Amino acid sequence: MPIKLTNIFLALLMICCASSAAAEERSLFEPISIRVTGKYLSDADYKDSDGSSSVAGGQARLRAGGFSFSYEGQHYSWDNVDQLNFGNRRDDPWNTLHRFSLGYTYNGLINKNWFYGAGITGTSSFEEQMEDSFGGALRGHIGYFFNENLKALIGLRAFANSIRVSAMPYFGINYTDYAADGSGYFVNLGMPATEIGYTFDKASTLRAAFNFDGKTYRLKDDSTVSDAGYVQMSSMKVGLYYDYKPVKNCSISIGPEYVFARETKFFDKSGDKYGSEDQEAAFGAFFNLRYKF
């Protein structure tokens, strides 16, 4: 790992440790929330062949006192595998991909105007074997409250897994304008995610969102794509969602999504890239249930 990036990891890790120490009186079990997500992405061709895949997935996440643990599964259904440019053209390239994540996040105030946040996350993403499937990320940001409606932040994320080590900045601007009855609009501009919406009352919200997604999975030992190699998927997504709170501590979200700029990259077990495939855009559906104890 380059010296400069190592220093970034160490600096952010010190921020996380300092934040944790400052929060010694904070309970590890409050507040507790559970989130369950389901999604489906329609069948779409790979651009250089007539082979295609659809995706059905879900995630369960538990949060408690700044800590979070989640499991996500993505199940692929394939069509015309004999036309694909990867795999052995007989068997499905992969079926279910798994991802475990464990992290800690802390946000605090420096004074009435300045705030900060830091987090650390460890992941394991794989098809069957967890060996050589681990990755991690560190992040830290600092922000400023301009007034009760407007705030902004800027930060840095550093990533590392079996095929790459990188760092990138991120930023966010949040503006809200709510009436006394709870109605009003909000805008969250940022990278890698942007969101804008309107809250009709304390129970109903309509919002549109854009974000970038990228994940790397370790393939199984006898994979027909790459023995013990890796596959990296990246895409962009826009969605329109309706959020409903039937009771105070429970929220439900549903909505259509459109996923585009889809790219799949292939790596051998040494982490060297040897190919890539673009996939057509696809429509999908999203469902989320969250309960806070």
Side-chain angles (χ1 to χ4, degrees), residues 51-69:
S52 63
S53 67
S54 61
V55 187
Q59 182 187 64
R61 172 176 291 178
L62 172 67
R63 291 183 179 272
F67 291 92
S68 65
F69 174 76

Side-chain angles (χ1 to χ4, degrees), residues 40-59:
Y40 175 77
L41 197 58
S42 62
D43 189 73
D45 288 344
Y46 288 87
K47 291 185 177 180
D48 294 331
S49 73
D50 291 327
S52 63
S53 67
S54 61
V55 187
Q59 182 187 64

Side-chain angles (χ1 to χ4, degrees), residues 72-171:
E72 180 180 18
Q74 304 276 1
H75 183 76
Y76 283 71
S77 297
W78 299 87
D79 194 17
N80 296 327
V81 295
D82 59 315
Q83 300 295 315
L84 292 171
N85 294 327
F86 52 93
N88 63 8
R89 299 191 177 188
R90 295 188 306 274
D91 303 309
D92 292 347
W94 55 82
N95 291 120
T96 302
L97 301 176
H98 311 274
R99 181 179 176 87
F100 289 95
S101 176
L102 177 65
Y104 177 76
T105 300
Y106 183 77
N107 298 303
L109 291 173
I110 299 173
N111 55 41
K112 68 176 183 178
N113 292 109
W114 290 94
F115 63 93
Y116 68 94
I120 182 170
T121 303
T123 61
S124 176
S125 305
F126 58 94
E127 183 179 7
E128 289 188 2
Q129 293 84 15
M130 294 182 70
E131 181 183 0
D132 298 324
S133 71
F134 300 98
L138 289 170
R139 61 193 179 277
H141 68 255
I142 188 169
Y144 186 80
F145 289 102
F146 293 94
N147 53 52
E148 62 180 11
N149 301 105
L150 178 64
K151 66 179 180 180
L153 64 84
I154 186 169
L156 182 70
R157 287 190 179 101
F159 310 85
N161 59 28
S162 298
I163 65 171
R164 70 179 181 128
V165 176
S166 63
M168 64 178 293
Y170 67 95
F171 68 90

Side-chain angles (χ1 to χ4, degrees), residues 145-292:
F145 289 102
F146 293 94
N147 53 52
E148 62 180 11
N149 301 105
L150 178 64
K151 66 179 180 180
L153 64 84
I154 186 169
L156 182 70
R157 287 190 179 101
F159 310 85
N161 59 28
S162 298
I163 65 171
R164 70 179 181 128
V165 176
S166 63
M168 64 178 293
Y170 67 95
F171 68 90
I173 299 173
N174 173 259
Y175 180 77
T176 60
D177 186 10
Y178 294 118
D181 62 357
S183 64
Y185 64 89
F186 59 90
V187 179
N188 297 311
L189 300 177
M191 184 189 72
T194 291
E195 184 178 63
I196 183 170
Y198 184 82
T199 298
F200 298 95
D201 49 45
K202 294 182 179 180
S204 300
T205 297
L206 185 66
R207 58 188 171 87
F210 164 84
N211 63 56
F212 170 84
D213 184 43
K215 292 183 176 69
T216 300
Y217 295 90
R218 194 267 202 192
L219 296 173
K220 62 184 179 180
D221 289 345
D222 59 350
S223 170
T224 60
V225 177
S226 178
D227 293 347
Y230 301 89
V231 59
Q232 181 186 81
M233 291 101 162
S234 62
S235 63
M236 296 183 184
K237 178 176 64 179
V238 292
L240 181 65
Y241 309 98
Y242 174 68
D243 305 330
Y244 177 66
K245 295 183 178 180
V247 294
K248 181 180 179 180
N249 293 333
C250 180
S251 63
I252 300 171
S253 301
I254 57 173
E257 296 181 327
Y258 180 71
V259 181
F260 60 101
R262 304 171 70 187
E263 185 178 21
T264 303
K265 298 179 181 180
F266 306 102
F267 300 81
D268 61 25
K269 62 182 178 181
S270 298
D272 297 322
K273 179 184 173 183
Y274 69 86
S276 66
E277 289 283 335
D278 293 330
Q279 191 173 10
E280 298 288 349
F283 287 96
F286 173 86
F287 169 81
N288 179 76
L289 172 64
R290 181 175 182 269
Y291 189 85
K292 181 179 178 181

